Every structure is written in C-alpha cells, then in structure tokens.
C-alpha cells in the first residue's frame, strides 16, 4: 500500500547569530554549564609524570554529540593523549539534556615551564539572543628534571608511542575486569 500526502509549503530563513559569523562551531541553548577538573591537582611535576584534564559540557535541548571536540594543540616538551569522549543524553519528564566529557592526558617530556592553553567556547543564548563566551583559564606547570634519569646518558627519548601502548593496555585490562565482574564473558 502506498500513500501520497500533500502538505502546504513551509518556508523559513536561517541566519547566523550576530557575532558568530567567523566561528567554526556554535552551541545554541538556554544554559551552558562547563566544568573542569585536573588529576592530580598540582602545579609542579617531574619529567615522565602525567596530568589529566577533564572538561564536561552540559546543556538542555542539545544532544551530547553536538558539542564540538576540544582542540588538541601541540606543545613543546609535552605529549597529549586525548581519550574517547563520553557522550550522555538524558530525558526526564520531557526535558532533554546533553552532556559531553572530554579527557586529555598530558605527559611531561622535558623540564621547564609549560603553559597549557586556555580553552574558549562560544554559545548562543536562545532566551536572551546573546552570544556568550566560556573561558577555561590557561594553566602554567613547572616540570623538574627526573632525578632517576642519569645526566650522563643525555636527553631521554620521548615516551610517546610506548606510553600510549602502555596506557591502552592498562585501560583494556580495566575494561575486561569490569566485564568479568559484571558477568560478561569473552567470546560468548
């Protein structure tokens, strides 16, 4: 059975909000909440140490996948390992809310002072018809030489790919332990 339904034409005009013409992405919502946490919460580290930055964006009537991914900038003396984002959408009594959590792990590769860049997010307040900006401040970190490294051996190679494989194996092991506790077997 095939049916054809004729409807009246609907026309609309879409325009970019004032001030947003040059932005790559823009979230439109009535409220945007952005939180940030650091683990460990310290400002002094040693070469080889890692620091994880967790940023969560949350807004009503926005799907979590609509939030833009965070920029990952190359910084001398530092390796950056972004993890898969955690995207969560909820509906409670007809109200929808989207959330995206981004995690970046920084591994310090050489001594000195490193500034992790500020993160700037623009969003359009649909209730007030206003362009807003959320800025997570830059963070300056002091990195000391690793006392366990021998100065006679010269500069130590970056741990980059080897560390990424090690972190990946550790996360896979945690995932398998969680599956085992939950009664999910491999190969079933």
């Amino acid at each position: 059975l095939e049916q054809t339904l004729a409807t009246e034409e609907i026309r609309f005009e879409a325009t970019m909000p004032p001030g947003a013409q040059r932005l790559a992405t823009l979230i439109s919502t009535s409220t945007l909440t952005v939180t940030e946490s650091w683990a460990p919460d310290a400002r002094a580290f040693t070469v080889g140490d890692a620091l994880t930055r967790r940023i969560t964006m949350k807004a009503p009537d926005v799907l979590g996948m609509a939030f833009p991914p965070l920029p990952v900038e190359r910084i001398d003396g530092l390796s950056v390992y972004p993890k898969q984002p955690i995207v969560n959408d909820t509906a409670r009594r007809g109200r929808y809310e989207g959330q995206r959590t981004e995690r970046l792990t920084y591994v310090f590769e050489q001594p000195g002072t490193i500034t992790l860049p500020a993160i700037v997010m623009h969003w359009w307040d649909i209730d007030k018809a206003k362009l807003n900006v959320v800025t997570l401040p830059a963070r300056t970190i002091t990195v000391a030489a690793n006392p366990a490294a021998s100065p006679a051996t010269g500069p130590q190679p970056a741990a980059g790919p080897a560390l990424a494989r090690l972190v990946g194996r550790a996360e896979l092991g945690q995932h398998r332990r969680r599956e085992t506790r939950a009664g999910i077997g491999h190969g079933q």
Side-chain angles (χ1 to χ4, degrees), residues 65-133:
M65 64 185 240
F67 290 105
L70 295 177
V72 178
E73 297 180 27
R74 177 150 168 58
I75 301 169
D76 289 337
L78 187 68
S79 288
V80 184
Y81 300 96
K83 294 185 180 180
Q84 286 294 322
I86 300 168
V87 177
N88 188 20
D89 297 317
T90 58
R92 290 188 190 109
R93 299 182 184 205
R95 182 173 167 91
Y96 295 93
E97 183 174 77
Q99 178 177 304
R100 179 183 180 111
T101 300
E102 297 263 350
R103 296 165 298 159
L104 302 169
T105 298
Y106 302 100
V107 177
F108 302 105
E109 296 179 334
Q110 52 186 295
T113 301
I114 295 176
T115 300
L116 304 176
I119 295 178
V120 178
M121 290 174 256
H122 295 86
W123 67 282
W124 180 255
D125 186 326
I126 58 175
D127 293 337
K128 297 177 182 170
K130 179 182 175 200
L131 185 62
N132 293 293
V133 177

Coordinates of all heavy atoms in Angstrom, one line a residue, residues 65-133:
M65 N 26.4 14.7 21.4 CA 27.3 14.6 20.2 C 27.4 16.0 19.5 O 28.2 16.1 18.6 CB 26.8 13.5 19.3 CG 25.5 13.8 18.6 SD 25.0 12.3 17.7 CE 24.8 13.1 16.1
A66 N 26.5 16.9 19.8 CA 26.5 18.2 19.1 C 27.6 19.1 19.7 O 28.0 20.1 19.0 CB 25.2 18.9 19.2
F67 N 28.1 18.8 20.9 CA 29.2 19.6 21.4 C 30.5 19.4 20.6 O 30.8 18.3 20.3 CB 29.5 19.3 22.9 CG 28.4 19.7 23.8 CD1 27.5 18.8 24.3 CD2 28.2 21.0 24.2 CE1 26.5 19.1 25.2 CE2 27.2 21.4 25.1 CZ 26.3 20.5 25.6
P68 N 31.2 20.5 20.3 CA 32.4 20.3 19.5 C 33.5 19.6 20.3 O 33.6 19.8 21.5 CB 32.8 21.7 19.1 CG 32.2 22.6 20.2 CD 31.0 21.9 20.6
P69 N 34.4 18.8 19.6 CA 35.5 18.3 20.3 C 36.5 19.4 20.7 O 36.6 20.4 20.0 CB 36.1 17.3 19.3 CG 35.5 17.7 18.0 CD 34.3 18.4 18.2
L70 N 37.2 19.1 21.8 CA 38.2 20.1 22.2 C 39.4 20.2 21.3 O 39.8 19.1 20.8 CB 38.6 19.8 23.6 CG 37.6 19.9 24.7 CD1 38.1 19.5 26.0 CD2 37.0 21.3 24.8
P71 N 40.0 21.3 21.1 CA 41.2 21.4 20.3 C 42.4 20.7 21.0 O 42.5 20.9 22.2 CB 41.4 22.9 20.1 CG 40.7 23.5 21.3 CD 39.6 22.6 21.6
V72 N 43.2 20.0 20.3 CA 44.4 19.4 20.9 C 45.6 20.1 20.2 O 45.8 19.8 19.0 CB 44.4 17.9 20.7 CG1 45.7 17.3 21.2 CG2 43.2 17.3 21.3
E73 N 46.2 21.0 20.9 CA 47.4 21.7 20.4 C 48.7 21.0 20.7 O 48.8 20.4 21.8 CB 47.4 23.1 21.0 CG 46.2 23.9 20.6 CD 46.3 25.3 21.2 OE1 47.4 25.8 21.4 OE2 45.2 25.9 21.4
R74 N 49.6 21.1 19.8 CA 51.0 20.6 20.0 C 51.7 21.6 20.9 O 51.7 22.8 20.6 CB 51.7 20.4 18.7 CG 53.1 19.9 18.9 CD 53.6 19.1 17.7 NE 55.0 18.8 17.8 CZ 55.7 18.3 18.8 NH1 55.1 17.9 19.8 NH2 57.0 18.1 18.7
I75 N 52.3 21.1 21.9 CA 53.1 21.9 22.9 C 54.5 21.3 23.1 O 54.6 20.1 23.4 CB 52.3 22.0 24.2 CG1 50.9 22.6 24.0 CG2 53.1 22.9 25.2 CD1 50.0 22.5 25.2
D76 N 55.5 22.0 22.9 CA 56.9 21.5 23.1 C 57.1 21.0 24.5 O 56.6 21.7 25.4 CB 57.9 22.6 22.8 CG 58.0 22.9 21.3 OD1 57.6 22.1 20.5 OD2 58.4 24.0 20.9
G77 N 57.7 19.9 24.6 CA 58.0 19.3 25.9 C 56.9 18.5 26.5 O 56.9 18.1 27.7
L78 N 55.9 18.2 25.7 CA 54.6 17.6 26.2 C 54.0 16.7 25.1 O 54.0 17.1 24.0 CB 53.7 18.8 26.5 CG 52.4 18.5 27.2 CD1 52.6 18.0 28.7 CD2 51.5 19.8 27.3
S79 N 53.5 15.6 25.6 CA 52.7 14.7 24.7 C 51.3 14.8 25.2 O 51.1 14.8 26.4 CB 53.2 13.3 24.7 OG 54.4 13.1 24.0
V80 N 50.3 14.9 24.3 CA 48.9 15.0 24.6 C 48.2 13.8 24.1 O 48.3 13.4 22.9 CB 48.3 16.3 24.0 CG1 46.9 16.4 24.5 CG2 49.1 17.5 24.4
Y81 N 47.5 13.1 25.0 CA 46.7 11.9 24.6 C 45.2 12.1 24.9 O 44.8 12.0 26.0 CB 47.2 10.7 25.4 CG 48.7 10.4 25.1 CD1 49.7 10.9 26.0 CD2 49.1 9.7 24.0 CE1 51.0 10.7 25.7 CE2 50.4 9.5 23.7 CZ 51.4 9.9 24.6 OH 52.7 9.7 24.4
P82 N 44.4 12.5 23.8 CA 43.0 12.6 24.1 C 42.4 11.3 24.2 O 42.7 10.3 23.4 CB 42.5 13.4 22.8 CG 43.6 13.2 21.8 CD 44.9 12.9 22.5
K83 N 41.4 11.1 25.1 CA 40.7 9.8 25.2 C 39.3 10.0 24.5 O 38.9 11.1 24.2 CB 40.4 9.5 26.7 CG 41.7 9.2 27.4 CD 41.4 8.7 28.8 CE 42.7 8.4 29.5 NZ 42.5 8.0 30.9
Q84 N 38.7 8.9 24.2 CA 37.4 9.0 23.6 C 36.4 9.8 24.5 O 36.4 9.6 25.7 CB 36.8 7.6 23.4 CG 37.4 6.8 22.2 CD 37.2 7.4 20.9 OE1 36.1 7.9 20.6 NE2 38.2 7.4 20.0
P85 N 35.6 10.7 23.9 CA 34.7 11.5 24.7 C 33.6 10.6 25.3 O 33.3 9.5 24.7 CB 34.1 12.5 23.7 CG 34.3 11.9 22.4 CD 35.6 11.0 22.5
I86 N 33.1 11.0 26.4 CA 31.9 10.3 27.0 C 30.7 11.2 26.7 O 30.7 12.3 27.1 CB 32.1 10.1 28.5 CG1 33.4 9.3 28.8 CG2 30.9 9.5 29.1 CD1 33.8 9.3 30.3
V87 N 29.8 10.6 25.9 CA 28.6 11.4 25.5 C 27.4 10.8 26.2 O 27.2 9.6 26.1 CB 28.5 11.4 23.9 CG1 27.2 12.1 23.5 CG2 29.7 12.0 23.3
N88 N 26.6 11.6 26.8 CA 25.5 11.1 27.5 C 24.3 12.1 27.3 O 24.4 13.3 27.5 CB 25.8 11.1 29.0 CG 24.7 10.4 29.8 OD1 23.9 9.7 29.3 ND2 24.7 10.7 31.1
D89 N 23.1 11.5 26.9 CA 21.9 12.2 26.7 C 20.9 11.7 27.7 O 20.7 10.4 27.8 CB 21.4 12.1 25.3 CG 22.3 12.7 24.3 OD1 22.9 13.8 24.5 OD2 22.6 12.1 23.2
T90 N 20.1 12.6 28.3 CA 19.1 12.1 29.3 C 17.8 12.8 29.0 O 17.8 13.9 28.4 CB 19.5 12.4 30.7 OG1 19.7 13.8 30.9 CG2 20.8 11.7 31.2
A91 N 16.7 12.1 29.3 CA 15.4 12.7 29.2 C 14.7 12.5 30.5 O 14.5 11.3 31.0 CB 14.6 12.1 28.0
R92 N 14.2 13.6 31.1 CA 13.5 13.4 32.4 C 12.2 14.3 32.3 O 12.3 15.5 32.2 CB 14.3 13.9 33.6 CG 15.4 13.0 33.9 CD 16.2 13.4 35.2 NE 17.4 12.6 35.3 CZ 18.6 13.1 35.2 NH1 18.8 14.4 35.0 NH2 19.6 12.3 35.3
R93 N 11.1 13.7 32.3 CA 9.8 14.4 32.3 C 9.7 15.3 31.1 O 9.3 16.5 31.3 CB 9.5 15.1 33.6 CG 9.5 14.1 34.8 CD 9.2 14.9 36.0 NE 9.2 13.9 37.1 CZ 8.6 14.1 38.2 NH1 7.9 15.1 38.4 NH2 8.7 13.2 39.2
G94 N 10.1 14.9 30.0 CA 10.0 15.7 28.8 C 11.1 16.7 28.6 O 11.1 17.4 27.6
R95 N 12.1 16.7 29.5 CA 13.2 17.7 29.4 C 14.4 16.9 29.0 O 14.8 16.0 29.7 CB 13.4 18.4 30.7 CG 14.5 19.4 30.6 CD 14.6 20.2 31.9 NE 15.8 21.0 32.0 CZ 15.9 22.3 31.6 NH1 14.9 22.9 31.0 NH2 17.0 22.9 31.7
Y96 N 15.1 17.3 27.9 CA 16.3 16.6 27.4 C 17.5 17.4 27.8 O 17.5 18.7 27.8 CB 16.2 16.5 25.9 CG 15.0 15.6 25.5 CD1 13.8 16.2 25.2 CD2 15.2 14.2 25.4 CE1 12.7 15.4 24.8 CE2 14.1 13.4 25.1 CZ 12.9 14.0 24.8 OH 11.9 13.2 24.4
E97 N 18.6 16.7 28.0 CA 19.8 17.3 28.4 C 21.0 16.5 27.8 O 21.0 15.3 27.9 CB 20.0 17.4 29.9 CG 21.3 18.2 30.3 CD 21.3 18.4 31.8 OE1 21.6 17.4 32.5 OE2 21.1 19.5 32.2
G98 N 21.9 17.2 27.1 CA 23.1 16.5 26.5 C 24.3 16.9 27.3 O 24.4 17.9 27.9
Q99 N 25.2 15.9 27.3 CA 26.5 16.1 28.1 C 27.6 15.4 27.3 O 27.5 14.4 26.7 CB 26.4 15.5 29.4 CG 27.6 15.6 30.3 CD 27.4 15.1 31.7 OE1 26.5 15.5 32.4 NE2 28.2 14.1 32.1
R100 N 28.8 16.1 27.2 CA 30.0 15.6 26.6 C 31.1 15.8 27.6 O 31.3 16.9 28.0 CB 30.2 16.2 25.3 CG 31.5 15.7 24.6 CD 31.7 16.4 23.3 NE 32.9 15.9 22.6 CZ 32.9 15.3 21.5 NH1 31.8 15.0 20.9 NH2 34.0 14.9 20.9
T101 N 31.9 14.8 27.9 CA 33.1 14.9 28.7 C 34.3 14.5 27.9 O 34.3 13.4 27.3 CB 32.9 14.0 30.0 OG1 31.8 14.3 30.7 CG2 34.2 14.1 30.8
E102 N 35.2 15.4 27.9 CA 36.5 15.2 27.2 C 37.6 15.1 28.2 O 37.6 15.7 29.2 CB 36.8 16.4 26.3 CG 35.8 16.7 25.2 CD 36.2 16.1 23.9 OE1 37.4 15.7 23.7 OE2 35.4 16.1 22.9
R103 N 38.5 14.1 27.9 CA 39.6 13.9 28.8 C 40.9 14.0 28.0 O 41.1 13.3 27.0 CB 39.5 12.6 29.5 CG 38.3 12.5 30.4 CD 38.0 11.1 30.8 NE 37.6 10.4 29.6 CZ 37.6 9.1 29.5 NH1 38.0 8.3 30.5 NH2 37.3 8.4 28.3
L104 N 41.9 14.8 28.4 CA 43.2 14.9 27.8 C 44.2 14.5 28.8 O 44.2 15.1 29.9 CB 43.4 16.3 27.3 CG 42.4 16.9 26.4 CD1 42.7 18.4 26.2 CD2 42.5 16.2 25.0
T105 N 45.1 13.6 28.5 CA 46.2 13.3 29.4 C 47.5 13.9 28.8 O 47.8 13.7 27.6 CB 46.3 11.8 29.5 OG1 45.1 11.3 30.1 CG2 47.5 11.4 30.4
Y106 N 48.1 14.7 29.6 CA 49.4 15.3 29.2 C 50.5 14.6 29.9 O 50.5 14.3 31.1 CB 49.4 16.8 29.7 CG 48.3 17.7 29.2 CD1 47.2 17.9 30.0 CD2 48.3 18.2 28.0 CE1 46.2 18.7 29.6 CE2 47.3 19.0 27.5 CZ 46.2 19.3 28.3 OH 45.2 20.1 27.9
V107 N 51.6 14.2 29.2 CA 52.8 13.6 29.7 C 53.9 14.5 29.5 O 54.2 14.9 28.4 CB 53.0 12.2 29.0 CG1 54.3 11.6 29.6 CG2 51.9 11.3 29.2
F108 N 54.6 14.9 30.6 CA 55.7 15.8 30.5 C 57.0 15.1 30.1 O 57.4 14.2 30.7 CB 55.8 16.5 31.9 CG 54.6 17.2 32.3 CD1 53.8 16.6 33.3 CD2 54.2 18.3 31.7 CE1 52.6 17.2 33.7 CE2 53.0 18.9 32.1 CZ 52.2 18.4 33.1
E109 N 57.6 15.7 29.0 CA 58.8 15.0 28.4 C 60.1 15.7 28.7 O 61.1 15.1 28.5 CB 58.6 14.9 26.9 CG 57.4 14.0 26.6 CD 57.1 13.9 25.1 OE1 57.5 14.8 24.4 OE2 56.6 12.9 24.7
Q110 N 60.1 17.0 29.1 CA 61.3 17.7 29.4 C 61.1 18.7 30.5 O 59.9 19.2 30.7 CB 61.9 18.3 28.1 CG 60.9 19.2 27.4 CD 61.6 19.6 26.0 OE1 62.5 20.3 26.0 NE2 61.0 19.2 24.9
P111 N 62.1 19.1 31.2 CA 62.0 20.0 32.3 C 61.7 21.4 31.8 O 62.1 21.7 30.6 CB 63.3 19.9 33.1 CG 64.3 19.4 32.1 CD 63.5 18.5 31.1
G112 N 61.1 22.3 32.6 CA 60.9 23.7 32.2 C 59.5 24.1 32.7 O 58.9 23.4 33.5
T113 N 59.1 25.2 32.1 CA 57.8 25.8 32.4 C 56.9 25.6 31.2 O 57.3 26.0 30.1 CB 57.9 27.3 32.8 OG1 58.7 27.4 33.9 CG2 56.5 27.8 33.1
I114 N 55.8 25.0 31.4 CA 54.8 24.7 30.3 C 53.5 25.3 30.6 O 53.0 25.2 31.7 CB 54.7 23.2 30.1 CG1 56.0 22.6 29.6 CG2 53.6 22.9 29.1 CD1 56.0 21.1 29.5
T115 N 52.9 26.0 29.6 CA 51.6 26.6 29.8 C 50.6 25.8 28.9 O 50.8 25.8 27.7 CB 51.6 28.1 29.4 OG1 52.5 28.8 30.2 CG2 50.2 28.7 29.6
L116 N 49.7 25.2 29.6 CA 48.6 24.6 28.9 C 47.6 25.6 28.5 O 47.2 26.5 29.3 CB 48.0 23.5 29.8 CG 48.9 22.5 30.4 CD1 48.3 21.5 31.3 CD2 49.6 21.7 29.2
P117 N 47.2 25.6 27.3 CA 46.4 26.8 26.8 C 45.0 26.9 27.4 O 44.4 25.9 27.8 CB 46.3 26.5 25.3 CG 46.4 25.0 25.1 CD 47.4 24.6 26.3
A118 N 44.5 28.1 27.4 CA 43.1 28.3 27.7 C 42.2 27.7 26.7 O 42.6 27.5 25.5 CB 42.8 29.8 27.8
I119 N 41.0 27.3 27.1 CA 40.0 26.8 26.1 C 38.8 27.8 26.1 O 38.3 28.1 27.2 CB 39.6 25.4 26.5 CG1 40.8 24.4 26.4 CG2 38.4 24.9 25.7 CD1 40.5 23.0 26.8
V120 N 38.5 28.2 24.9 CA 37.4 29.2 24.8 C 36.3 28.5 24.0 O 36.5 27.9 22.9 CB 37.9 30.4 24.0 CG1 36.8 31.4 23.8 CG2 39.1 31.1 24.8
M121 N 35.1 28.6 24.5 CA 33.9 28.1 23.9 C 32.8 29.2 23.8 O 32.5 29.9 24.7 CB 33.3 27.0 24.7 CG 34.1 25.7 24.7 SD 33.4 24.5 25.8 CE 34.6 24.7 27.2
H122 N 32.3 29.3 22.6 CA 31.2 30.3 22.3 C 29.9 29.6 22.3 O 29.8 28.4 21.8 CB 31.4 31.0 20.9 CG 32.6 31.8 20.9 ND1 33.9 31.2 20.6 CD2 32.9 33.1 21.1 CE1 34.8 32.2 20.6 NE2 34.2 33.3 21.0
W123 N 28.8 30.3 22.8 CA 27.5 29.7 22.7 C 26.5 30.8 22.6 O 26.7 31.9 23.0 CB 27.2 28.8 23.9 CG 27.1 29.4 25.2 CD1 28.2 29.8 26.0 CD2 25.9 29.7 26.0 NE1 27.7 30.3 27.2 CE2 26.3 30.3 27.2 CE3 24.6 29.5 25.7 CZ2 25.4 30.7 28.2 CZ3 23.7 30.0 26.7 CH2 24.1 30.5 27.9
W124 N 25.3 30.5 22.0 CA 24.3 31.4 21.7 C 23.2 31.2 22.7 O 22.6 30.1 22.8 CB 23.8 31.3 20.3 CG 22.7 32.3 20.0 CD1 21.3 32.0 19.9 CD2 22.8 33.7 19.7 NE1 20.6 33.1 19.6 CE2 21.5 34.2 19.5 CE3 23.9 34.5 19.7 CZ2 21.3 35.5 19.2 CZ3 23.6 35.9 19.4 CH2 22.3 36.3 19.2
D125 N 22.8 32.2 23.5 CA 21.7 32.1 24.5 C 20.4 32.4 23.7 O 20.2 33.5 23.3 CB 21.9 33.1 25.6 CG 20.9 33.0 26.7 OD1 19.7 32.6 26.4 OD2 21.3 33.3 27.9
I126 N 19.6 31.3 23.5 CA 18.4 31.5 22.7 C 17.3 32.3 23.4 O 16.5 32.8 22.8 CB 17.9 30.1 22.3 CG1 17.6 29.2 23.5 CG2 18.8 29.4 21.3 CD1 16.9 27.9 23.2
D127 N 17.4 32.4 24.8 CA 16.4 33.1 25.5 C 16.7 34.6 25.5 O 15.8 35.5 25.4 CB 16.3 32.7 27.0 CG 15.8 31.3 27.1 OD1 15.0 30.8 26.2 OD2 16.1 30.6 28.1
K128 N 18.0 35.0 25.6 CA 18.4 36.4 25.6 C 18.9 36.9 24.3 O 19.3 38.1 24.2 CB 19.5 36.6 26.7 CG 19.0 36.3 28.1 CD 20.1 36.4 29.1 CE 19.5 36.0 30.5 NZ 20.6 35.9 31.5
A129 N 19.0 36.0 23.3 CA 19.5 36.4 21.9 C 20.9 37.1 22.1 O 21.1 38.2 21.6 CB 18.5 37.3 21.2
K130 N 21.8 36.4 22.8 CA 23.1 36.9 23.1 C 24.2 35.9 22.9 O 24.0 34.8 23.3 CB 23.1 37.4 24.5 CG 24.4 38.0 25.0 CD 24.3 38.5 26.5 CE 25.6 39.0 26.9 NZ 25.8 38.9 28.3
L131 N 25.3 36.3 22.3 CA 26.5 35.5 22.1 C 27.3 35.5 23.4 O 27.6 36.6 23.9 CB 27.3 36.0 21.0 CG 28.5 35.1 20.6 CD1 28.1 33.7 20.1 CD2 29.3 35.8 19.5
N132 N 27.6 34.4 24.0 CA 28.3 34.2 25.2 C 29.6 33.5 25.0 O 29.7 32.7 24.1 CB 27.5 33.5 26.3 CG 26.3 34.3 26.7 OD1 26.4 35.3 27.3 ND2 25.1 33.8 26.4
V133 N 30.5 33.7 25.9 CA 31.8 33.0 25.9 C 32.1 32.4 27.2 O 32.0 33.0 28.2 CB 33.0 34.0 25.5 CG1 34.3 33.3 25.5 CG2 32.7 34.7 24.2

